[in-house]
Amino acid sequence: KAGVTQTPRYLIKTRGQQVTLSCSPISGHRSVSWYQQTPGQGLQFLFEYFSETQRNKGNFPGRFSGRQFSNSRSEMNVSTLELGDSALYLCASSFSGWGQPQHFGDGTRLSIL
Amino acid sequence: KNEVEQSPQNLTAQEGEFITINCSYSVGISALHWLQQHPGGGIVSLFMLSSGKKKHGRLIATINIQEKHSSLHITASHPRDSAVYICAVRNNTDKLIFGTGTRLQVFP
């Protein structure tokens, strides 16, 4: 059974650009969550999607958005990139949310120049 | 003060030692997770707890809801256990809060 796949693995952007990251969950999983990890702030929750609906959202500005498609694949978009957005972005999938074991992807490392 | 505190921040051990990592939280929770993150970033979910104790191989996780405290124990530690261990809670308003992690190094 394939694991959670995140693409791309690495990305370099400049300030002001926008970026879209992709997460393909494990087959059958309907919940996808996104996280940002930085050395200073650690892991922080961005949002959770379940059956194409955003079910929960962390404390991030509106520049961070996401969506989930009918096949449960999810995308995360960050507009008007700032230097502080440099981070490892992780997604995790599960059957129905954090009441179940989470399966994490390897992450996308985003660097802003 | 962070809502989820882990201790210690860093831990070194010799192979074979018994290891304990602690997690204290100040909010009401619906579940607590222990995660393991290896160098390079990959995260593995080790345990999900809402009460009591769980065991998987050499790993044991306990939670005391009244004291708002959880522990992760590793018996007979091995160099491959070297990783960052992260405690995460889902509070009663469905917000996810992470601890800052405990960096464990086990030397042969």
Side-chain angles (χ1 to χ4, degrees):
Chain A
K1 197 175 190 182
V4 177
T5 303
Q6 289 189 246
T7 57
R9 289 296 312 278
Y10 303 92
L11 203 48
I12 299 174
K13 292 284 187 179
T14 57
R15 281 184 299 174
Q17 287 187 308
Q18 75 163 17
V19 67
T20 299
L21 311 181
S22 178
C23 174
S24 293
I26 289 173
S27 178
H29 286 189
R30 294 165 66 191
S31 168
V32 174
S33 301
W34 288 90
Y35 308 89
Q36 181 196 66
Q37 187 175 37
T38 60
Q41 298 294 322
L43 262 173
Q44 293 182 283
F45 169 68
L46 280 157
F47 23 67
E48 179 196 2
Y49 286 88
F50 181 80
S51 293
E52 301 179 66
T53 301
Q54 187 181 88
R55 189 157 69 172
N56 207 344
K57 190 177 188 302
N59 297 324
F60 278 81
R63 300 185 298 107
F64 291 82
S65 63
R67 59 179 175 168
Q68 187 180 32
F69 302 96
S70 58
N71 62 358
S72 293
R73 189 178 72 87
S74 179
E75 287 182 348
M76 190 193 92
N77 185 75
V78 188
S79 62
T80 320
L81 286 164
E82 301 176 0
L83 292 177
D85 298 332
S86 294
L88 178 67
Y89 290 89
L90 292 151
C91 80
S93 77
S94 68
F95 283 111
S96 61
W98 269 74
Q100 303 242 322
Q102 300 291 301
H103 299 263
F104 284 81
D106 289 334
T108 294
R109 190 165 294 280
L110 174 63
S111 298
I112 311 301
L113 303 179
Chain B
K1 191 180 187 306
N2 292 334
E3 292 171 295
V4 179
E5 298 271 2
Q6 283 185 240
S7 63
Q9 283 189 298
N10 294 284
L11 187 54
T12 58
Q14 289 295 125
E15 184 173 356
E17 286 185 2
F18 181 85
I19 287 161
T20 296
I21 299 170
N22 297 297
C23 175
S24 296
Y25 51 92
S26 58
V27 296
I29 69 168
S30 57
L32 181 145
H33 293 250
W34 280 102
L35 310 173
Q36 179 193 56
Q37 185 171 30
H38 281 283
I43 292 180
V44 174
S45 177
L46 297 174
F47 293 104
M48 182 188 67
L49 297 161
S50 54
S51 64
K53 175 180 175 179
K54 287 191 177 180
K55 184 175 189 293
H56 182 69
R58 295 180 295 105
L59 302 177
I60 303 166
T62 63
I63 188 168
N64 185 317
I65 297 294
Q66 286 73 29
E67 294 186 4
K68 295 188 174 179
H69 181 267
S70 175
S71 293
L72 176 68
H73 305 286
I74 305 175
T75 62
S77 59
H78 189 276
R80 65 174 174 265
D81 297 326
S82 298
V84 176
Y85 292 84
I86 302 168
C87 168
V89 303
R90 189 171 191 120
N91 70 10
N92 289 335
T93 59
D94 273 354
K95 294 299 181 187
L96 286 161
I97 310 167
F98 293 89
T100 52
T102 294
R103 185 175 300 277
L104 170 66
Q105 288 185 291
V106 182
F107 294 98

